[in-house]
Amino acid sequence: MHDAISILRNLGVQPTPQRIAVIDCVLHNHSHPTAEQLLKAARQQCPTVSRATVYNTLNLLVAKGLIRTQLLREGVVVFDPNLERHHHFIDEETGEIHDIPWEYLGVSGGSNLKDFHIRDYQVILRGRKKQE
Amino acid sequence: MHDAISILRNLGVQPTPQRIAVIDCVLHNHSHPTAEQLLKAARQQCPTVSRATVYNTLNLLVAKGLIRTQLLREGVVVFDPNLERHHHFIDEETGEIHDIPWEYLGVSGGSNLKDFHIRDYQVILRGRKKQE
DNA sequence: GTTCGTGCAAACGGTTTGCAACAAT
DNA sequence: ATTGTTGCAAACCGTTTGCACGAAC
């Protein structure tokens, strides 16, 4: 049910090697990759993938709600296979983006926003990741 | 000290009509405009402004810390003259972006993020603005 | 043989850069 | 004369679209 072939069948499109490669890459990549990075990764698995197919497949997955795009880098769309609510930390030196579990942070004060109907929210943190 | 001419003198560049128009427009615009919107607005005041001058002037202001860019819309840079810490609400129907005062929201749980040195953060809310 | 999917290349929109003309000193 | 600034056009980058070829049914 979770493998690329089943996913593609469920979407009603043919499980071609190109699409399987794109799906394998994006579903297991939690580093918030760009389309270009996913093209490069997918070509390791299936060298004949074209840019158009990468974009088509990613946009299909987004439209069907299997992945999300996130506003985390200027001028590029980054893709996120993590559908659970979570926050993000952006390392200002490396540009790396880390998921922060939802329970780690609490946001209060929504009652101050009577004029707004809030459907969703997230915290975006910036700074440096400490070396461990 | 706050007028466009003084600002440009302080930046060490000549206060040309084109730059004055761009600065007037961006400093008084709290609707998170794009460069294209600012070009249009600046041309009302100085019809001979070119796109290049808009981008040059905006980038100069960003480099000097007089305005900021924000990651709030896909594929476009939006500019924000509000240098105080604040949060943002994005109306998912209209695309309008509203500033939320810093004190309206509280974020707790930073102690859960021992691996990160947090320099800044903000909450991004999404939903619909209620008609008043 | 009709449909679906592909890779390629061209087009597109936002941004940056190169450059020749021009204004300021 | 030298320097700084301009508008225009071309280049650029990420993304989308058009299209003819090829594979699947």
Side-chain angles (χ1 to χ4, degrees):
Chain A
M1 216 32 158
H2 317 87
D3 60 298
I5 294 181
S6 316
I7 289 171
L8 286 164
R9 292 230 172 88
N10 283 342
L11 293 178
V13 297
Q14 290 176 29
T16 65
Q18 291 87 345
R19 283 173 175 158
I20 292 168
V22 174
I23 290 190
D24 281 346
C25 288
V26 73
L27 286 189
H28 304 125
N29 187 330
H30 281 246
S31 70
H32 308 81
T34 65
E36 198 66 26
Q37 291 168 333
L38 289 167
L39 169 65
K40 203 180 159 198
R43 279 186 171 163
Q44 310 250 97
Q45 180 173 334
C46 173
T48 74
V49 187
S50 71
R51 206 176 313 272
T53 297
V54 170
Y55 279 102
N56 286 340
T57 306
L58 291 174
N59 288 341
L60 177 66
L61 294 175
V62 170
K64 298 296 184 175
L66 293 173
I67 60 174
R68 280 192 284 173
T69 61
Q70 295 272 2
L71 273 173
L72 295 169
R73 287 177 46 180
E74 282 204 348
V76 215
V77 175
V78 306
F79 296 88
D80 191 345
N82 183 355
L83 296 177
E84 294 172 27
R85 285 188 154 198
H86 60 285
H87 307 291
H88 286 101
F89 176 90
I90 303 175
D91 188 307
E92 294 181 312
E93 272 189 12
T94 66
E96 278 173 45
I97 300 161
H98 302 269
D99 284 0
I100 305 295
W102 187 252
E103 323 81 56
Y104 277 29
L105 296 173
V107 176
S108 59
S111 52
N112 290 322
L113 301 167
K114 298 198 184 64
D115 291 346
F116 301 97
H117 176 268
I118 298 165
R119 198 193 52 75
D120 192 21
Y121 65 92
Q122 71 162 299
V123 181
I124 295 186
L125 307 130
R126 290 164 192 279
R128 294 200 320 276
K129 186 174 194 218
K130 295 175 184 165
Q131 22 261 10
E132 37 218 301
Chain B
M1 212 36 155
H2 317 87
D3 60 299
I5 295 180
S6 315
I7 288 171
L8 286 164
R9 293 230 171 87
N10 283 340
L11 293 178
V13 296
Q14 291 176 26
T16 64
Q18 291 87 344
R19 283 173 175 155
I20 292 168
V22 174
I23 290 190
D24 280 346
C25 289
V26 72
L27 286 189
H28 304 126
N29 188 330
H30 281 246
S31 70
H32 310 80
T34 65
E36 197 67 24
Q37 290 168 333
L38 289 167
L39 169 65
K40 201 180 162 198
R43 279 187 169 161
Q44 310 251 98
Q45 179 173 334
C46 174
T48 75
V49 189
S50 72
R51 205 176 312 271
T53 297
V54 171
Y55 278 101
N56 287 340
T57 307
L58 292 173
N59 288 341
L60 177 66
L61 294 175
V62 170
K64 298 296 185 177
L66 294 173
I67 60 173
R68 281 191 282 173
T69 62
Q70 295 272 5
L71 274 172
L72 295 170
R73 286 177 48 180
E74 284 206 347
V76 214
V77 176
V78 306
F79 296 88
D80 191 346
N82 183 356
L83 296 177
E84 294 172 27
R85 286 186 155 201
H86 60 286
H87 307 289
H88 285 102
F89 176 90
I90 303 175
D91 188 307
E92 294 181 311
E93 271 189 13
T94 67
E96 278 173 46
I97 300 161
H98 302 269
D99 284 359
I100 306 295
W102 187 253
E103 324 80 57
Y104 276 30
L105 296 174
V107 176
S108 59
S111 52
N112 290 322
L113 302 167
K114 298 197 182 63
D115 291 347
F116 300 98
H117 176 268
I118 298 166
R119 197 194 52 74
D120 191 21
Y121 65 92
Q122 77 168 105
V123 181
I124 296 186
L125 307 130
R126 290 164 191 278
R128 294 200 320 275
K129 186 175 193 218
K130 296 175 183 165
Q131 22 263 9
E132 38 216 299

